[in-house]
Amino acid sequence: MTEPAAHHPRTPWVVGVSGASGTPYAAAVLRGLLDAGEAVDLVVSRASRLTILDETGISYRDSHWREDLATWLGRGADGKPDTFTGLDLSDVRHWSAGDLAAGPSSGSYAVKGMLIVPASTASVAGVALGLSKDLLQRAASVTLKERRKLVVAVRETPLNGQTLKHLVALDEAGAVVLPASPAFYAGATHIQDLVDFVAGRVLDAAGVPHGLYRRWEGELGGASRNP
């Protein structure tokens, strides 16, 4: 008699997109998670919707989120539409930023962890202080209290003393503080390469496999060689 297939419960990564500049970073991380076969619970803050509109011309709406997300993720970092095609969004779940009764607001809701990309200084402060003023902050606070992986890709410069204190507090609470800081040793020749480097480092911190950038192999001049 054939044994029934084991049921594996859906255990997503929560991705929070805050209002900082850098929405291409979020798009690259989301594509990387989907390429790796990961489930995603997506929280797009109200402020970030203005940033998405400003940086891409795309309106992200609760009522049309799947269509808007497909358009956003298909766009390259240079603004060219339909750069990325064939994305499977069937395992993405959208939660409204104002829904404080959403799944990720509870510690009993099973997730692998949370990635905030990009992370504004306001979201950093809110999480560090435990304000939980919206679902993004609440989900991050839950991630910390449950001792799950939290990666905070802060995108701001310069950083003032108060924000630095908040980042230290997050580090001490167990979060990975990951500034959105592109590197050039991987041989970037296009803006997408720089975006993908940051996205790849976020996925590295989460332990999600990817092929978004050329890794350092201990040999000088690697950036000048073809991959």
Side-chain angles (χ1 to χ4, degrees), residues 86-109:
L87 296 169
D88 182 2
L89 304 182
S90 61
D91 212 1
V92 178
R93 185 169 185 178
H94 161 82
W95 297 98
S96 174
D99 185 3
L100 292 179
S105 69
S106 173
S108 66
Y109 183 78

Side-chain angles (χ1 to χ4, degrees), residues 6-17:
H7 174 67
H8 299 287
R10 181 179 182 273
T11 311
W13 285 96
V14 180
V15 177
V17 186

Side-chain angles (χ1 to χ4, degrees), residues 58-73 89:
I58 296 168
S59 296
Y60 187 92
R61 301 159 294 176
D62 285 339
S63 57
H64 297 84
W65 71 267
R66 195 175 294 276
E67 297 92 332
D68 296 341
L69 180 62
T71 302
W72 177 30
L73 296 190
L89 304 182

Side-chain angles (χ1 to χ4, degrees), residues 128-147:
L129 297 174
L131 298 182
S132 295
K133 75 175 185 66
D134 61 9
L135 180 58
L136 188 153
Q137 291 183 13
R138 172 60 186 170
S141 296
V142 168
T143 302
L144 288 176
K145 81 179 182 68
E146 297 294 327
R147 302 295 191 264

